[in-house]
Amino acid sequence: MSAPASSAPPVEVARSAAEALSAGDLDRFAELVHEDALYDVLPFGERRGRVAVREFFAELLGTLPDFSMTVEAVTGDGQRVAVAWRITGTFNGKPFQGFTPHDHRFDMRGIDFMDVDSGRCRLATFPYNPQFALDRYE
């Protein structure tokens, strides 16, 4: 196992990972994902391992060229962390998980539940309804 990404408290590790994703810095984001990570992106399924997690988020960023993510709140107790976020963007990039780009903007909110281990996000669950998000036009 690699060395811890940081000695920061779990809430700060989760916040840093979300902020790296928001900035489109997939390398920094991946540094904060545990090599044995399990990310359950509902309803798209599980991503196992740092590489698969990074690939999923690279696909998402490729779909939304103007991707913007705002961290609205972060809370946690020990290793368990919840991150409330808001994503906006225009679905005019590459296809995503069977959805065809349609040049419309959307606004989606969600909460990620994470376990942070050794300074990296190891387990995460992202429950949301992508159909609502991808069809919700401004």
Side-chain angles (χ1 to χ4, degrees):
M1 181 186 291
S2 55
S6 90
S7 59
V11 293
E12 291 306 315
V13 172
R15 181 187 307 278
S16 293
E19 289 171 351
L21 187 59
S22 177
D25 188 346
L26 291 173
D27 291 335
R28 176 67 181 140
F29 171 75
E31 288 175 9
L32 295 165
V33 174
H34 198 280
E35 61 192 25
D36 296 324
L38 171 59
Y39 275 51
D40 193 1
V41 184
L42 305 169
F44 296 121
E46 295 178 351
R47 303 300 186 269
R48 292 183 179 273
R50 180 183 296 140
V51 172
V53 171
R54 187 187 191 287
E55 287 173 353
F56 176 82
F57 286 103
E59 180 184 6
L60 177 63
L61 294 177
T63 297
L64 307 168
D66 61 346
F67 175 89
S68 175
M69 178 177 173
T70 304
V71 175
E72 296 184 333
V74 180
T75 188
D77 180 16
Q79 288 183 254
R80 307 239 13 162
V81 180
V83 179
W85 48 261
R86 182 177 193 167
I87 293 174
T88 60
T90 307
F91 187 30
N92 61 358
K94 298 175 182 177
F96 179 74
Q97 301 287 310
F99 292 96
T100 302
H102 49 55
D103 292 324
H104 293 272
R105 288 194 48 78
F106 73 89
D107 184 327
M108 180 173 68
R109 290 184 173 165
I111 299 175
D112 298 348
F113 301 98
M114 300 180 186
D115 284 358
V116 176
D117 178 21
S118 302
R120 291 191 167 93
C121 301
R122 180 186 284 273
L123 302 173
T125 302
F126 308 103
Y128 68 93
N129 182 341
Q131 186 67 41
F132 173 75
L134 296 174
D135 287 343
R136 185 172 176 184
Y137 310 143
E138 282 187 344

